[in-house]
Amino acid sequence: MSITMSTPTHITVLLEETIEALAVQPGGRYIDCTLGAGGHALAILERSSPGGQLLGIDADPEAIAAARTRLEAYQSSILLVNDNFINLEAIATEHDFSPVHGILFDLGLSSPQLESSGRGFSFKGDEPLDMRLSSSQEVTAADILNTSSEAELTQLIRTLGEERHSRRIARYIVQERPIETTLQLVGVIERAVGSRRGRIHPATRTFQALRIAVNRELENLSSALKQATGLLGLGGRLVVISYHSLEDRIVKRFMQQEAKEARLRLVHKKVITPSLAEVHFNPRSRSAKLRAAERITLPREVGRDQTVY
Ligand SMILES: C[S@@+](CC[C@H](N)C(=O)[O-])C[C@H]1O[C@@H](n2cnc3c(N)ncnc32)[C@H](O)[C@@H]1O
């Protein structure tokens, strides 16, 4: 799982837009639920100085280590926790870190994880089909591939990969397993549906489906968004950057529902996407969608003063 010298650096996506959406202010208190390489976190600390504080969370211990180095200048203002954001509320409570001015989710994976974690997130090289963000998780992508029924695989690849050839791919997987490595899986998919069609590689959607399943990405996001709302002080901002339609749908529906129930107010009329210049400079940013909402009411049962503005 070690990252080598040639580790690609992660280019932070929608940086200015995120800082603006979070309305970062000096002395503010923020939670970055997806610390990654610490790019957003660093900007939050710079803009909230003097007196800003940041609680950074990441499920991947290597991300925490890299961010700790990058944020060294702000040592006394940060608290970094290696955990899954499904435990957001418990982490904030344990560290007495609420109410807060802003909470950020920059979902998905960082470039080092995708390209050189050795965990099979990408199929550029031949790697074991692991795909876990943390080795403390039990189920790997290979486990799912090699133990699920054909019907379960069809369903998983269709719903989490939005892959229209899911049935055929699942049939080939079951016929050719055990499958242990990325290139083995790519070979199976190419035999099932051909080697090239359209703009994306034919294995892309199946890899997405496996990664989402292994890390329970959609369930964790739904739960964490609810927890995040509860941690915001009055006027606090929730900002989420997502990279595929399944995630964005969850975020959009969540914020709309919270707005309907008058807990949150939508900050923007339309979803924020990267400029052409950003996409040109960082092609990975092309699918990013940023949504933001502001806490406008607090639950009656909250006894203490949660006003943070
Ligand atoms: C796109 S990167 C964040 C990059 C960061 N914003 C930056 O600018 O450097 C996403 C990070 O979220 C982490 N992550 C994804 N899902 C998570 C989860 N459920 N709990 C905690 N961390 C998670 C990944 O390990 C990865 O490091």
Side-chain angles (χ1 to χ4, degrees), residues 10 12-13 32-40 57-60 63 70 83-86 104 106-110 113 133 220 243:
H10 180 81
T12 295
V13 172
D32 184 344
C33 297
T34 51
L35 190 63
H40 284 113
I57 300 171
D58 203 294
D60 185 343
R70 185 158 183 198
D83 202 340
N84 196 297
F85 61 56
I86 185 80
L104 171 65
D106 176 21
L107 300 167
L109 299 178
S110 65
Q113 285 169 325
L133 283 178
N220 289 354
Y243 295 87

Side-chain angles (χ1 to χ4, degrees), residues 1-9 62 112 115-117:
M1 281 206 190
S2 70
I3 294 177
T4 61
M5 290 297 285
S6 60
T7 299
T9 44
E62 292 179 21
E115 288 176 25
S116 54
S117 68

Side-chain angles (χ1 to χ4, degrees), residues 42-300:
L42 182 59
I44 291 169
L45 285 159
E46 283 166 358
R47 305 291 177 92
S48 62
S49 175
Q53 289 177 309
L54 179 118
L55 168 62
I57 300 171
D58 203 294
D60 185 343
E62 292 179 21
I64 293 284
R68 196 177 293 288
T69 306
R70 185 158 183 198
L71 304 177
E72 208 173 358
Y74 290 94
Q75 249 178 52
S76 56
S77 314
I78 58 174
L79 197 64
L80 305 188
V81 178
N82 178 209
D83 202 340
N84 196 297
F85 61 56
I86 185 80
N87 300 318
L88 174 60
E89 197 179 343
I91 297 166
T93 305
E94 185 187 339
H95 296 284
D96 199 16
F97 207 88
S98 78
V100 294
H101 294 84
I103 300 183
L104 171 65
F105 292 85
D106 176 21
L107 300 167
L109 299 178
S110 65
S111 305
Q113 285 169 325
L114 278 169
E115 288 176 25
S116 54
S117 68
R119 283 175 261 172
F121 292 118
S122 126
F123 43 85
K124 281 190 183 148
D126 200 15
E127 298 177 355
L129 279 163
D130 183 324
M131 296 200 189
R132 292 170 300 168
L133 283 178
S134 156
S135 54
S136 65
Q137 295 165 226
E138 281 174 14
V139 180
T140 68
D143 292 336
I144 292 178
L145 281 173
N146 294 321
T147 61
S148 306
S149 69
E150 188 175 322
E152 285 166 343
L153 285 172
T154 303
Q155 166 82 356
L156 184 148
I157 296 168
R158 182 187 301 136
T159 54
L160 302 184
E162 298 181 303
E163 168 62 72
R164 62 197 175 92
H165 299 291
S166 57
R167 192 183 294 270
R168 202 172 157 79
I169 292 174
R171 183 168 8 116
Y172 273 68
I173 288 172
V174 169
Q175 276 166 9
E176 299 196 29
R177 62 192 186 189
I179 299 168
E180 302 293 346
T181 73
T182 51
L183 292 191
Q184 239 182 311
L185 179 59
V186 169
V188 173
I189 295 169
E190 286 181 347
R191 281 190 286 287
V193 298
S195 58
R196 264 277 161 206
R197 53 163 222 273
R199 278 174 48 233
I200 62 166
H201 189 281
T204 305
R205 292 177 184 280
T206 302
F207 270 70
Q208 172 184 305
L210 284 168
R211 196 196 86 200
I212 293 175
V214 166
N215 296 298
R216 302 177 58 80
E217 290 180 21
L218 304 183
E219 298 90 325
N220 289 354
L221 176 61
S222 298
S223 167
L225 289 175
K226 286 197 199 93
Q227 298 177 43
T229 305
L231 297 172
L232 290 173
L234 200 56
R237 296 276 179 99
L238 170 63
V239 176
V240 188
I241 307 173
S242 62
Y243 295 87
H244 59 75
S245 56
L246 297 172
E247 279 172 350
D248 183 55
R249 205 172 303 148
I250 289 174
V251 178
K252 182 176 168 183
R253 287 189 184 155
F254 173 79
M255 288 186 176
Q256 282 174 342
Q257 186 59 32
E258 291 292 293
K260 217 182 256 174
E261 292 175 21
R263 273 189 290 272
L264 297 177
R265 161 187 90 77
L266 303 184
V267 172
H268 309 107
K269 286 210 173 84
K270 282 172 85 178
V271 66
I272 305 291
T273 54
S275 65
L276 284 177
E278 177 167 359
V279 174
H280 182 71
F281 174 67
N282 178 18
R284 275 233 175 100
S285 69
R286 67 184 175 276
S287 48
K289 289 202 164 85
L290 181 152
R291 295 185 188 272
E294 183 177 297
R295 185 85 208 228
I296 48 173
T297 50
L298 294 171
R300 283 211 196 96

